[in-house]
Amino acid sequence: MRHEHIISAKQLSRSDIEEVLDRAAEMAEDPQAVADRHAGTLLGMLFFEPSTRTKMSFTAAMKRLGGDVVDMGSVESSSVKKGESLADTVRVVEGYADALVMRHPSEGSAKMATEFVDVPLINAGDGAGQHPTQTLLDLYTIRENAGFDDLTVGIMGDLKYGRTVHSLAHALTEFDANQHFVSPESLKLPRSVRYDLHEAGATIKEHTELDVVLPELDVLYVTRIQRERFPDESEYREVAGEYQIDAETMDGAKDDLTVMHPLPRVDEIAYDLDDTTHAKYFQQAHNGVPVRMALLDLMLGGDQ
Amino acid sequence: MSDDDRELRVSKIRNGTVIDHITGGQALNVLAILGINGSSGEEVSVGMNVPSDRMKRKDIVKVEGRELSQNEVDVLSLIAPAATINIVRDYEVVEKHRVETPSEVVGVLSCPNHNCITTAQEPVESRFEVLDEGVRCVYCDTIIRQNIAEHIEVE
Ligand SMILES: [Zn+2]
C-alpha cells in the first residue's frame, strides 16, 4: 500500500483494501505476534469533536502493537479554544508523535491538515465527509460473513447525511457488488455521491421499501434516521417507523443474511434481532481494532 | 458586418484588456470575477447582447489598465468558454488568446458548503476540480453545477 495519509476510502484500490483486510485477519488470528512490533511508537490523537468509541478503538489498536498514544484532550482545554487555526495546531502536534489520527467537525479538514504535516495522518471523520477506517472495518465484516463474490448489499436508512454509507457504497464498487439503496424520498443519496458511484460504473438501484429487495440481499446495512432531519416529531416517527427491523423481518430474508449497523443504534434494529444468527453489528464494532492495527502497521512501515 | 465593426460600439481602450466573445448576458459576472464593482475607479466599458456572427449574441468587457491573472482566466472559462482575451497596449492588440478550461480552479470561487474547511479561518485557498458539467470542491466534494458565477469569492 502506497499512501502516506488515509483521508478517504475513495483513495483505496481493491488491492489496497485487500492488503489491509488480510493483515487485519492475520493480526486477529495471532495478536501476540505483533504485540511489540511498534514499541516506542507514539500516535497523536487529535479529536476536535468527541467520539469516545473511535478514540478507544484507535488507542487499543496502537497499544496492541506495543505503541502508545498522546492525546490533545478535549477542545475546551486546548489552544483551539483560544482561536488557534487547525493548520497551526497540526504543525505543532506533529512534533509530538510518529503518526496522527484526527477527527474534526469540518468537511475537508483532514485533507487540509495533510498539507501541513509530514507524519502520516489518518482521517477519523471530517464532518459529514469521510471516515475511511469505518469503511475498512465494514468491509472486513462483510468479507468475514458474506465474502465479496457475487455480493448483493442493501443499504438502508439515512442515505443523504450518513457518511459511513457514502464511503461504503463507493468502496463496494471496487468489488462489483450489487447495491440497493433503501430510504425515504427525502433522505436519498446526495448528488455528489451519485456522481461518484456513477463514475465508478455502479448502477444505483433505489427503493423506498425494504420488502422488495430483502430476499435478494446477502448483507443489510442499517443506519439511523435522525430526529433533526425532520421538521416535526410526528413526521419523523412516521417515516423512521418504516425503516425499523426486528427478528420477524428476517422471515423474508435469506437464511444467511448478515445484518450490520455502525452503532450506536436507537430503535432501528429491535433487540430481539440480537439473538439471531443475522446480527453481526457487535462483531463489526470489535473488528475496528484489528483493522486499525493493520492500517497503522502498514502506514508505519511494519512490512519492512 | 464583422465583429470588429461591432466593437466600435464600445469605446477603444489605450492599455488594458478586452474580453470578447463572452457568452451573452455574462458580462456582469465577468466583472465580478475581476473584482470590479465600479467603486474602485477602473475605467470599464461593457457591451451586452451585441449581435455577433459567431455567437448570435455576445458580451464584451473592456478594462483600462488591467491585465488578468491565470486564476481569473480559469474561472472566466467556466462561465464564458468561448471568450477571447485581447491585451491592448497603446491602442493596439498585442496579444490575443482564447480561454482554455483548466482541470482545476484555485481561489476565486468559494465553496457553498458552509461547513467546508476552506470557508473557515484557515490558511487554505479554495480548490475546485472542473467536471464535464460544473465544478467540485476537492476538500469536501460539494458539486456546483449551476450558476457558478454566484460562488465567486467577494473580497
Ligand atoms: Zn468545500
Side-chain angles (χ1 to χ4, degrees):
Chain A
M1 199 176 64
R2 304 228 166 272
H3 297 288
E4 205 186 332
H5 308 290
I6 303 294
I7 301 308
S8 162
K10 276 191 265 179
Q11 76 188 93
L12 302 174
S13 66
R14 178 173 181 150
S15 70
D16 290 335
I17 293 168
E18 285 179 330
E19 191 179 4
V20 177
L21 304 193
D22 288 346
R23 185 152 307 192
E26 282 167 36
M27 290 180 167
E29 183 77 22
D30 186 8
Q32 275 311 310
V34 292
D36 296 316
R37 183 174 286 181
H38 294 284
T41 298
L42 282 179
L43 181 63
M45 310 292 268
L46 291 145
F47 279 67
F48 294 88
E49 63 178 12
S51 177
T52 318
R53 216 81 71 78
T54 305
K55 199 192 232 180
M56 283 177 76
S57 179
F58 269 109
T59 305
M62 192 68 250
K63 291 191 174 181
R64 289 206 185 275
L65 289 168
D68 209 339
V69 298
V70 280
D71 188 345
M72 172 181 90
S74 71
V75 169
E76 284 64 35
S77 59
S78 70
S79 341
V80 179
K81 186 83 180 171
K82 296 172 197 140
E84 185 176 54
S85 67
L86 173 61
D88 280 3
T89 306
V90 295
R91 275 181 286 194
V92 170
V93 175
E94 77 163 330
Y96 306 158
D98 303 296
L100 300 174
V101 173
M102 187 176 110
R103 181 166 189 125
H104 192 278
S106 299
E107 284 99 68
S109 51
K111 181 180 168 57
M112 189 202 79
T114 63
E115 292 166 10
F116 294 94
V117 298
D118 292 322
V119 300
L121 184 143
I122 300 176
N123 181 8
D126 58 336
Q130 302 292 326
H131 188 10
T133 58
Q134 176 72 44
T135 305
L136 287 166
L137 73 88
D138 290 344
L139 292 168
Y140 185 85
T141 310
I142 292 173
R143 187 170 81 166
E144 252 188 331
N145 290 285
F148 289 134
D149 293 335
D150 196 22
L151 174 70
T152 302
V153 179
I155 303 181
M156 180 168 86
D158 181 351
L159 308 186
K160 187 172 183 183
Y161 301 97
R163 68 173 160 206
T164 55
V165 164
H166 304 160
S167 178
L168 177 63
H170 193 272
L172 284 170
T173 64
E174 290 282 332
F175 296 90
D176 300 320
N178 299 306
Q179 297 191 66
H180 294 276
F181 299 93
V182 184
S183 73
E185 201 61 37
S186 60
L187 294 175
K188 282 165 70 173
L189 290 172
R191 183 157 70 184
S192 63
V193 177
R194 286 158 187 280
Y195 180 88
D196 277 337
L197 294 177
H198 188 75
E199 287 284 289
T203 358
I204 302 176
K205 294 172 218 127
E206 295 178 295
H207 315 272
T208 49
E209 281 165 42
L210 178 62
D211 311 8
V212 290
V213 286
L214 183 61
E216 294 173 43
L217 304 181
D218 301 306
V219 173
L220 174 61
Y221 195 102
V222 183
T223 63
R224 180 151 50 109
I225 294 179
Q226 295 185 37
R227 164 68 187 90
E228 58 264 35
R229 308 293 181 218
F230 292 87
D232 62 72
E233 183 74 21
S234 66
E235 195 177 327
Y236 161 70
R237 292 225 162 273
E238 192 179 321
V239 173
E242 288 179 43
Y243 299 91
Q244 288 165 358
I245 59 167
D246 56 20
E248 208 185 307
T249 315
M250 296 299 110
D251 294 347
K254 284 185 183 173
D255 290 342
D256 59 355
L257 171 71
T258 296
V259 177
M260 295 170 64
H261 190 297
L263 304 180
R265 69 172 152 180
V266 181
D267 49 11
E268 52 280 5
I269 300 179
Y271 290 118
D272 69 357
L273 202 135
D274 299 357
D275 304 324
T276 70
T277 54
H278 301 290
K280 303 294 182 193
Y281 25 89
F282 293 111
Q283 182 190 339
Q284 182 187 352
H286 300 163
N287 287 339
V289 177
V291 166
R292 290 179 173 117
M293 286 170 74
L295 191 63
L296 287 167
D297 185 44
L298 288 165
M299 291 182 77
L300 293 164
D303 46 349
Q304 276 134 37
Chain B
M1 215 191 273
S2 76
D3 273 8
D4 282 349
D5 296 324
R6 297 284 182 199
E7 277 182 38
L8 293 174
R9 289 165 185 255
V10 187
S11 65
K12 288 240 176 199
I13 60 170
R14 179 171 187 177
N15 291 303
T17 306
V18 177
I19 307 163
D20 198 357
H21 302 108
I22 298 166
T23 315
Q26 292 292 332
L28 296 178
N29 289 329
V30 169
L31 291 176
I33 292 169
L34 304 184
I36 293 173
N37 62 12
S39 65
S40 44
E42 290 96 341
E43 202 177 315
V44 179
S45 317
V46 176
M48 288 177 88
N49 297 311
V50 179
S52 154
D53 296 339
R54 179 139 61 93
M55 309 172 63
K56 284 192 187 147
R57 298 275 167 183
K58 64 170 186 179
D59 288 4
I60 307 173
V61 169
K62 304 188 180 192
V63 190
E64 184 75 44
R66 173 86 143 73
E67 294 186 11
L68 273 58
S69 72
Q70 191 57 48
N71 286 349
E72 289 167 338
V73 174
D74 286 348
V75 179
L76 181 67
S77 73
L78 300 176
I79 62 161
T84 47
I85 294 173
N86 303 275
I87 312 260
V88 177
R89 298 210 180 104
D90 225 3
Y91 299 109
E92 294 294 325
V93 173
V94 293
E95 238 181 81
K96 184 174 189 131
H97 51 91
R98 288 194 134 185
V99 299
E100 268 174 61
T101 307
S103 56
E104 258 190 3
V105 288
V106 180
V108 196
L109 291 179
S110 76
C111 186
N113 172 10
H114 297 304
N115 203 38
C116 176
I117 196 72
T118 61
T119 67
Q121 295 295 316
E122 295 287 343
V124 62
E125 279 193 294
S126 72
R127 185 180 288 268
F128 287 83
E129 178 195 351
V130 178
L131 310 173
D132 291 341
E133 274 180 81
V135 295
R136 171 186 205 145
C137 175
V138 305
Y139 288 92
C140 76
D141 284 344
T142 298
I143 293 178
I144 311 176
R145 200 152 284 170
Q146 275 120 27
N147 307 325
I148 289 174
E150 283 173 17
H151 302 283
I152 294 163
E153 240 163 330
V154 231
E155 314 273 298

